[in-house]
Amino acid sequence: MSPDLHPGRVPDAPDAARSARAFGALYGGLPDGVWAAPGRVNVIGEHTDYNDGFALPMALPQTTRVAARRRDDGVLRLHSAREGDRITEIRVADLAPGTVSGWARYPAGTVWALAEAGHPVGGADLHIDSTVPTGAGLSSSAALECAVAVAYDDLYGLALPRPELARIAQRAENAFAGVPCGIMDQMASLCCAEGAALHLDSRTLEHRQVPFDLAAHGLVLLVIDTRVQHDLGDGAYAALRAGCERAAGLLGLPALRDLPADRLGEALAALPAELAPLVRHVVTEDARVAEAAARLAAGDTPALGPLLTAGHASLRDDYRVSCPETDLAVDTAVGAGALGARMTGGGFGGSVIALVPAALAPSVTGAVTAAFARAGHHPPAVLTAVPSRGAGRVG
Ligand code: GLA
């Protein structure tokens, strides 16, 4: 099948040579290299990362590319292919939260976070291009940060371990861009491998590749972008995060990850009514991640289905981050034959993933599209997610 690949937003992936040519047209000469970092979908383990818990993301083939050339005068120049001719220019020494706005906060923040952590970085000319849809809950901002992080790591010979680069990218997003995200998206973009999902411990950043073979089981993973723009900066995400931290404090725990499942009932009875459902989601979601990773490791990919759907119910009813469009996409996909489906990412819109027998992918896509039309929603965009490699040099 050939699903609707985000018309107008995801054209064919620009290759490294194209990025290098665009760099030359803009700045003159050749870049020192081209680096790429992917967007992600999270298979399961939502809103667990900032609770020091577990997640199971995979990288998408859609990437953000950075063609870059080191400068020795301390000047950072940033250009996005989505922004016409406008170049943002600032001295690295002048970077501070609030000095850069819009999309450029993410790359500038990454350079700032490297410098702030004491790494010897200076200027560069950067040309940025991306096929990761924005606002779809597919981590376009992490892809942008991580592409710049790996480019700078090479340009300045830092050789930092990937988890350290992930912390730098997260710091850029938290402290420079003002978005209080966890670490999952950056770890996914930097550490995922082709054909695998990444089992992530968000406390220690230990991670391992879990084989995720869809084709061997005749399955595909559809990503249904509801086109409801998701925005983590609007306060709801921060409020949930604060609620979890308050609950952990009341329970006398460093984080909700430290609440064992067999003490959940007792903990729920002790907590204020508004916090108990948050805790129930986090603890049961950590258990679903463990179960999903075990099933995948055992080669039982279809067993993921019911876990996905149970995860969605928990996000809808306990964590309350779904919306009518994501609920409709999940219910319709499951009704049309998906083995399971759930919203993925932060919520409040964004995308849904559905595990679907390949033969049913066109009819599931058609059923969701028809249901959206009947409900008066914007048509969704659907793509097929293929577990892809993490960030690195591509040219
Ligand atoms: C967003 C954040 C992540 C994570 C998810 C929810 O994607 O950036 O850190 O918290 O939401 O699982």
Side-chain angles (χ1 to χ4, degrees), residues 10-394:
V10 184
D12 290 335
D15 58 16
R18 216 155 96 199
S19 293
R21 276 199 302 279
F23 179 98
L26 189 72
Y27 296 118
L30 293 173
D32 292 335
V34 182
W35 290 262
R40 63 95 189 93
V41 290
N42 188 16
V43 178
I44 196 145
E46 221 65 85
H47 291 278
T48 47
D49 60 352
Y50 52 81
N51 289 300
D52 278 3
F54 299 87
L56 196 66
M58 55 167 257
L60 292 170
Q62 284 79 8
T63 61
T64 294
R65 285 165 201 273
V66 175
R69 183 170 61 207
R70 181 177 160 150
R71 296 175 65 109
D72 290 323
D73 61 358
V75 171
L76 175 65
R77 293 200 289 175
L78 300 166
H79 176 259
S80 161
R82 293 179 180 176
E83 288 285 305
D85 290 340
R86 189 163 168 266
I87 295 177
T88 299
E89 182 167 329
I90 187 164
R91 295 187 56 76
V92 173
D94 294 337
L95 287 171
T99 54
V100 180
S101 60
W103 70 272
R105 287 173 299 158
Y106 299 99
T110 304
V111 176
W112 168 79
L114 281 166
E116 200 218 14
H119 300 298
V121 294
D125 289 333
L126 306 182
H127 167 74
I128 294 158
D129 201 352
S130 185
T131 53
V132 185
T134 53
L138 302 177
S139 287
S140 58
S141 54
L144 180 46
E145 294 146 13
C146 294
V148 173
V150 290
Y152 255 73
D153 190 55
D154 282 351
L155 285 177
Y156 282 91
L158 306 177
L160 293 174
R162 291 292 166 113
E164 206 168 322
L165 285 179
R167 294 254 191 242
I168 296 280
Q170 184 198 18
R171 175 129 181 88
E173 186 144 350
N174 291 172
F176 201 92
V179 182
C181 66
I183 191 87
M184 169 181 62
D185 303 341
Q186 292 78 11
M187 281 295 289
S189 189
L190 287 162
C191 299
C192 278
E194 202 172 330
L198 185 83
H199 185 261
L200 171 66
D201 179 335
S202 303
R203 170 172 284 166
T204 62
L205 301 194
E206 279 166 2
H207 54 281
R208 67 190 162 88
Q209 310 296 339
V210 183
F212 190 15
D213 195 345
L214 291 153
H217 298 272
L219 296 171
V220 292
L221 191 68
L222 298 181
V223 180
I224 304 162
D225 174 4
T226 64
R227 299 266 173 91
V228 179
Q229 288 277 319
H230 114 132
D231 179 4
L232 296 187
D234 69 359
Y237 181 93
L240 288 163
R241 192 174 172 156
C244 288
E245 283 161 11
R246 193 154 74 85
L250 290 172
L251 295 168
L253 299 169
L256 291 183
R257 176 251 181 81
D258 299 300
L259 180 61
D262 61 5
R263 281 189 45 215
L264 178 60
E266 176 196 324
L268 295 180
L271 285 167
E274 74 277 14
L275 296 181
L278 301 185
V279 174
R280 184 164 51 221
H281 167 74
V282 172
V283 172
T284 59
E285 186 79 345
D286 271 342
R288 281 185 288 271
V289 173
E291 176 75 13
R295 295 306 184 112
L296 283 184
D300 189 3
T301 306
L304 271 187
L307 292 167
L308 300 185
T309 308
H312 186 76
S314 182
L315 289 161
R316 181 191 61 213
D317 301 336
D318 276 346
Y319 223 69
R320 308 186 80 157
V321 291
S322 74
C323 65
E325 290 84 351
T326 48
D327 291 344
L328 183 62
V330 167
D331 292 346
T332 308
V334 171
L339 303 185
R342 60 181 286 275
M343 50 149 277
T344 187
F348 315 109
S351 294
V352 160
I353 53 171
L355 185 67
V356 177
L360 293 184
S363 51
V364 169
T365 302
V368 174
T369 305
F372 270 50
R374 274 197 304 277
H377 302 323
H378 286 298
V382 182
L383 60 91
T384 306
V386 180
S388 301
R389 67 181 168 150
R393 186 168 180 161
V394 294

